[in-house]
Amino acid sequence: MTDLVRVWIVPVDVPPDTAARCRDVLDDSERARAAAFLSPRDEQRFTVAHGVLRILVGRELKTRPAALTWTPGRYGKPELAPPWSWLHTSLSHSGDMIALAISTDRPVGVDVQHLVPGLDTVALSARFFPPDEAGYVAAGRDASARADRFAHLWARKEAVVKAVGGRLWPNLKIAVRSRDVVSCAAPVSLHRVADVRVPTSFRAAVALTGAAPFVMEAVGWPSAGMAPAMVS
């Protein structure tokens, strides 16, 4: 049986009743972290991201969202505490968009990137990416195309790193362009990665530990419809 990963794409600007529901399911530590943000926008982003994650995981486990607990794993990645440690989760946000992923079979990583106007993607790629990927970014026909290529590659790299729970900087040199299976540098491990369809001006990717194929179901939240895709 092919493994399944579910991905949800969530806007920061949810209806007020949804935002209130997200706030209600946070634990005390999360409420304190949310309140510490100086920007109301940052507080909203954190609240919705962590609240929606709790709501979706609670639905998967048939458990009250507020009862869930995450603890740091071997490499620092948040992992669900027993008795739910068999379920794997990942969370990312950038700009006005949030991405969440749940896998019942293998560790998962998801990343979403906002295309930032004015970012010197050529210089950043030359500094952090392998030469062929840096050349691919630099060869974009204009600044918009270069930003697209940069965000696409960055999201794939970060999804892989989030799956294993390692640090991003030692792994920016890993090759991810046009690859289904990617080798993480630190810690050394194989991951299957796939792009996720997201709104214009964003790029996203999801990765599962191991080289085996998986099925991805991607959906906007709170919409209920799923769009399955085989990743092989």
Side-chain angles (χ1 to χ4, degrees):
M1 183 176 178
T2 305
D3 296 334
L4 172 67
V5 57
R6 294 188 176 94
V7 179
W8 288 265
I9 304 301
V10 184
V12 171
D13 294 310
V14 295
D17 59 334
T18 303
R21 182 184 175 200
C22 290
R23 193 174 301 108
D24 288 344
V25 300
L26 299 181
D27 64 18
D28 291 341
S29 174
E30 289 166 332
R31 288 196 182 94
R33 289 171 63 190
F37 284 106
L38 299 178
S39 164
R41 188 66 176 169
D42 291 340
E43 180 179 358
Q44 167 90 354
R45 183 183 297 109
F46 179 92
T47 299
V48 173
H50 288 263
V52 172
L53 179 63
R54 285 182 170 274
I55 290 167
L56 294 174
V57 173
R59 185 174 70 184
E60 183 78 20
L61 296 172
K62 298 178 174 57
T63 300
R64 287 191 311 107
L68 299 169
T69 303
W70 279 262
T71 58
R74 179 180 178 184
Y75 299 107
K77 176 183 177 180
E79 297 177 355
L80 279 163
W84 311 293
S85 50
W86 53 270
L87 192 72
H88 305 281
T89 66
S90 185
L91 170 65
S92 175
H93 51 75
S94 181
D96 295 331
M97 205 61 60
I98 298 162
L100 308 101
I102 295 176
S103 168
T104 59
D105 303 289
R106 293 143 64 183
V108 62
V110 70
D111 189 65
V112 61
Q113 291 292 323
H114 183 223
L115 276 63
V116 181
L119 192 67
D120 190 348
T121 55
V122 173
L124 289 170
S125 300
R127 179 181 179 186
F128 295 116
F129 292 178
D132 64 320
E133 292 184 351
Y136 170 70
V137 173
R141 66 183 181 277
D142 54 28
S144 177
R146 292 190 289 272
D148 189 343
R149 292 182 176 191
F150 178 82
H152 167 72
L153 295 175
W154 190 285
R156 290 170 68 86
K157 294 171 190 286
E158 192 149 354
V160 168
V161 172
K162 287 182 176 179
V164 74
R167 294 185 298 127
L168 179 61
W169 301 115
N171 289 293
L172 285 174
K173 292 289 186 183
I174 63 176
V176 297
R177 183 190 171 204
S178 301
R179 294 178 182 231
D180 297 323
V181 178
V182 172
S183 179
C184 192
V188 176
S189 49
L190 290 179
H191 304 269
R192 185 167 289 269
V193 61
D195 301 325
V196 179
R197 180 178 293 182
V198 285
T200 303
S201 77
F202 290 88
R203 295 295 177 267
V206 64
L208 286 185
T209 297
F214 61 83
V215 172
M216 173 177 59
E217 292 181 346
V219 64
W221 191 87
S223 169
M226 284 287 186
M230 179 71 173
V231 179
S232 58

